[in-house]
Amino acid sequence: MNAIELSPRQSIILDMVKEFGPITGTQIAEKLSLSRAALRSDLAILTMSGLLGARPRVGYYYTGKNPTELIAGVIGSIQVGDIQSRPIVIRENCSVYDAIVTMFIEDVGTLVVVSEGGFIEGVVSRKDLLKATMGGKNVNDLPVTLAMTRMPNIILTFPDELVIRAAQKLINHQVDALPVVEMVQLNQVEKYKVVGRFTKTNITQLFVHLAGN
Ligand code: ADP
């Protein structure tokens, strides 16, 4: 299985380099009876994917990396900020009813509750809201702050955190989403400004993207 889907010609080039490498682009072109220019994009894809290495005056060589190593290498370099979604927030003075409506309109499973300026106060999930409706109280009169999980008990991530670390947080804490925040010093108090949302969907999208679709 290849980490990226290679065209038939790219597969032939890869096999050729495995067998004859190091081999120059001109030599590959001659063996395939193609012009050097016609091969340029295929060679670029093979080197960018990490399957082939290229050294000036020596030529192309097979890196020997297997697809698992390549995937680990790629994933190990992607940061939360590269794949995060936009934040979906509600203000702390909203009701449980407002939160339910926002969740439907925005089509998300988790909302971040913020104070003025976009600073995180808490997180409210689907089940938090379901639980709040079970008490038989009027959800219009019920503040969302009563249903949410509060700071400092929120697991956060940051735009420059590695995706693999953030994914481990999702698993370890058994939550569906992490607020992406930036730390701000306000009157010598550390506050966290919400700048994004990191969810299991982001990871699924990355997975499909890396598979070459
Ligand atoms: P659901 O409760 O709808 O299954 P989650 O599994 O994401 O959704 O949430 C489980 C509980 O954890 C909820 O009470 C929610 O408030 C809380 N929670 C959700 N995200 C976080 C987070 N990033 N940090 C801390 N607690 C969270």
Side-chain angles (χ1 to χ4, degrees):
M1 184 196 80
N2 271 308
I4 56 164
E5 206 157 297
L6 299 180
S7 70
R9 193 201 275 171
Q10 288 159 2
S11 296
I12 290 171
I13 295 171
L14 184 63
D15 289 341
M16 194 179 281
V17 177
K18 272 185 197 171
E19 195 176 341
F20 302 109
I23 178 171
T24 65
T26 313
Q27 288 167 328
I28 298 171
E30 273 170 14
K31 280 185 184 289
L32 293 176
S33 306
L34 288 166
S35 74
R36 180 77 183 77
L39 283 183
R40 193 159 291 139
S41 67
D42 290 324
L43 287 168
I45 287 169
L46 288 167
T47 46
M48 276 191 301
S49 69
L51 288 166
L52 294 188
R55 270 197 214 106
R57 284 183 296 280
V58 176
Y60 293 91
Y61 58 93
Y62 178 56
T63 58
K65 285 187 182 155
N66 66 38
T68 315
E69 284 174 311
L70 290 171
I71 292 173
V74 173
I75 290 181
S77 65
I78 299 174
Q79 299 179 339
V80 166
D82 299 330
I83 64 164
Q84 70 186 28
S85 302
R86 72 192 169 93
I88 306 294
V89 302
I90 51 166
R91 285 293 304 274
E92 83 284 21
N93 53 6
C94 285
S95 66
V96 164
Y97 178 82
D98 296 329
I100 293 171
V101 171
T102 308
M103 214 173 248
F104 273 97
I105 291 175
E106 298 287 354
D107 197 16
V108 291
T110 315
L111 300 172
V112 182
V113 183
V114 295
S115 57
E116 189 174 1
F119 299 108
I120 185 164
E121 297 286 319
V123 161
V124 68
S125 74
R126 276 179 283 230
K127 272 189 228 134
D128 292 332
L129 294 174
L130 273 178
K131 216 191 299 170
T133 63
M134 282 165 49
K137 296 214 181 81
N138 183 346
V139 288
N140 281 297
D141 300 333
L142 211 54
V144 73
T145 47
L146 290 185
M148 72 184 188
T149 302
R150 288 179 179 276
M151 283 293 279
N153 298 325
I154 304 296
I155 312 302
L156 304 169
T157 184
F158 301 87
D160 60 356
E161 183 162 54
L162 287 179
V163 159
I164 189 73
R165 297 269 167 278
Q168 280 161 348
K169 286 181 177 177
L170 287 176
I171 291 170
N172 292 345
H173 298 277
Q174 297 184 359
V175 291
D176 293 340
L178 302 176
V180 186
V181 297
E182 280 170 1
M183 215 239 287
V184 185
Q185 290 273 358
L186 263 192
N187 305 326
Q188 286 168 0
V189 180
E190 285 176 5
K191 291 268 213 173
Y192 294 98
K193 200 172 169 65
V194 181
V195 296
R197 186 163 50 96
F198 181 75
T199 68
K200 291 178 177 174
T201 304
N202 294 133
I203 299 171
T204 312
Q205 283 164 342
L206 176 63
F207 181 82
V208 171
H209 176 77
L210 289 178
N213 293 295

